[in-house]
Amino acid sequence: MSDSTAASRYRWLVLAVFVLSTSINILDRATLSALAPVIRHEFALNNEQFSYIISAFNLTYAASAPCAGILIDSLGLSRVISLAVGLWSCAGIATGLTSGLAGLVGCRAVLGVAEAAGIPAAGKAIHKYLRPGERALGNAVNQAAVSLGQIVAPALAVWIAVHYGWRHSFIVTGVLGLAWIPLWRWASRRAPISDPPKQHGAAGAAMLRDRRLWIFVVANALSMIGYYLWFNLTTLYMADARGLTLQQTVRYVWIPPVFAAVGGFAGGWLSLVLIRRGTPAPAARFRVCLAASLLALFTIAIPWLPSPAWASAGISLSILAVAAFSVNMYTLPLDVFGAAPAGFAIAALVSSYGLTSAVIAIVIGRVIDHHGYTPVIVAVAFTPLAASAVLWFSRATR
């Protein structure tokens, strides 16, 4: 069987194995938010202080993403992702062994450095293995992997924490990451595809002069604020605002990630339908983003919904809209810039999310401490619409 025949036959299977690393990435990351009430209690932290731990991750995540993208483009996908998964797995294990707040912050910072390679590598893999019309669906598969990590994290982390202590939760998720590396090395040999010409730092630097990249960076930063809120603070919201115990939160916090997966596939499918009808790919992505941003406005209602179950439903609708927006937002650079700089282009979006999250984490924590969750939730309802406005008025998608 020729390389091209093998690549065509196994490409979705290999991509599925690859995006499993995304699930493990998110599982490592989401374990902190799933156990936030326990960790906050052990270290006697308020919301603003807990946000410093989140910011330690996001700052290194943002700073490392462009370097990770350049490494992926220059050294190759398989080599860099194997190294990154190994490093973030070790950082996760170390989190479970830390003996103080400073150690916890340090481990999250190292985790941010390593996990910065995850999404750019996924973008590179999607461009490498899939045809142009399929790429938003590929991002939807990756979004489903994100959702799987978010679904598994609360149940797994809480169960381990209740039976063996919260530290063991981090150790178990770290070991899962180490086990993925040989699986990927085996799967990647099933569909050998030649890499495009290597993208070096000078070419990546040239992209920084392209205004479209900066437009995508700003739009992504705005659109992902809602994702930051629900990824990091859903468990705390259910515990603080809705009065649930840690065990009770598990009944509800797994539901929004399921809808995130649905939103990702819906967003990818809608853009594929538009492309098949003759709409240029960037314009198709924008139309889906705009529809998702209008749906996200229903987020406003969440603080006034009458029960935890209704609140979970509102959060689910909100994150469905964010996911539909996100899979198209992260596909736009692949449409516009092509294969060679795909890692760097996606890394720029990852960096924008990390930097924005590092800043708003402290702001949101302070607002919640003084005014509660309502003003935060109302504000984030409008951020995807603001992102759509940036894309529209810049004409970057037309």
Side-chain angles (χ1 to χ4, degrees):
M1 184 183 295
S2 68
D3 284 358
S4 60
T5 303
S8 177
R9 180 176 179 180
Y10 292 108
R11 58 201 175 88
W12 279 102
L13 172 62
V14 176
L15 184 68
V17 173
F18 183 89
V19 299
L20 181 59
S21 70
T22 300
S23 292
I24 297 169
N25 180 317
I26 300 302
L27 182 61
D28 285 351
R29 201 186 311 179
T31 297
L32 178 71
S33 58
L35 299 176
V38 173
I39 295 172
R40 194 179 62 178
H41 174 75
E42 176 158 332
F43 291 98
L45 304 174
N46 60 28
N47 286 295
E48 183 177 349
Q49 290 169 326
F50 185 76
S51 72
Y52 298 153
I53 302 171
I54 299 173
S55 291
F57 171 89
N58 286 316
L59 282 172
T60 57
Y61 188 74
S64 302
C67 297
I70 292 171
L71 288 174
I72 291 164
D73 291 332
S74 60
L75 299 181
L77 173 66
S78 188
R79 184 181 303 173
V80 175
I81 192 59
S82 298
L83 177 62
V85 173
L87 181 58
W88 83 50
S89 298
C90 291
I93 292 170
T95 302
L97 303 175
T98 188
S99 59
L101 179 57
L104 183 60
V105 169
C107 289
R108 299 304 287 185
V110 174
L111 190 73
V113 171
E115 291 197 352
I119 299 302
K124 191 78 170 183
I126 288 165
H127 200 289
K128 179 177 179 179
Y129 288 107
L130 301 185
R131 302 182 181 106
E134 300 170 334
R135 288 172 187 157
L137 283 177
N139 269 322
V141 172
N142 199 51
Q143 176 60 53
V146 170
S147 299
L148 178 61
Q150 292 175 303
I151 292 166
V152 172
L156 178 63
V158 171
W159 186 87
I160 295 173
V162 169
H163 290 85
Y164 303 102
W166 66 267
R167 297 176 185 277
H168 287 81
S169 300
F170 290 96
I171 295 172
V172 169
T173 57
V175 170
L176 289 174
L178 295 176
W180 177 86
I181 297 173
L183 174 64
W184 165 247
R185 302 295 291 185
W186 169 84
S188 63
R189 292 193 290 270
R190 306 296 296 175
I193 297 179
S194 298
D195 284 323
K198 301 300 184 184
Q199 179 75 12
H200 298 289
M207 287 188 63
L208 297 175
R209 297 190 291 272
D210 192 322
R211 66 183 291 271
R212 296 171 299 176
L213 179 66
W214 293 105
I215 290 164
F216 295 155
V217 162
V218 172
N220 186 65
L222 289 168
S223 69
M224 294 293 282
I225 292 175
Y227 178 84
Y228 163 82
L229 177 67
W230 300 128
F231 181 86
N232 291 286
L233 301 181
T234 296
T235 300
L236 284 175
Y237 174 74
M238 287 295 189
D240 295 344
R242 298 292 176 165
L244 303 183
T245 65
L246 181 64
Q247 290 89 336
Q248 289 172 332
T249 64
V250 176
R251 302 175 189 172
Y252 300 102
V253 297
W254 66 271
I255 301 173
V258 173
F259 281 83
V262 172
F265 279 106
W269 176 77
L270 285 172
S271 65
L272 177 60
V273 169
L274 291 172
I275 290 168
R276 286 177 172 173
R277 291 178 179 177
T279 305
R285 314 293 184 206
F286 172 75
R287 292 182 187 180
V288 179
C289 288
L290 179 60
S293 66
L294 295 174
L295 182 63
L297 293 175
F298 287 97
T299 303
I300 295 171
I302 291 172
W304 292 278
L305 294 175
S307 68
W310 276 104
S312 180
I315 294 169
S316 298
L317 183 63
S318 178
I319 203 166
L320 181 149
V322 171
F325 194 116
S326 179
V327 298
N328 286 280
M329 185 71 248
Y330 275 83
T331 309
L332 274 170
L334 305 182
D335 297 328
V336 172
F337 299 120
F344 183 83
I346 298 299
L349 270 61
V350 171
S351 186
S352 75
Y353 166 70
L355 183 59
T356 302
S357 297
V359 174
I360 65 170
I362 297 172
V363 174
I364 287 176
R366 187 172 299 166
V367 171
I368 291 172
D369 281 336
H370 293 282
H371 304 287
Y373 286 87
T374 298
V376 172
I377 293 172
V378 171
V380 301
F382 293 93
T383 54
L385 191 60
S388 292
V390 169
L391 293 173
W392 172 258
F393 288 110
S394 68
R395 297 179 176 269
T397 55
R398 287 185 263 173

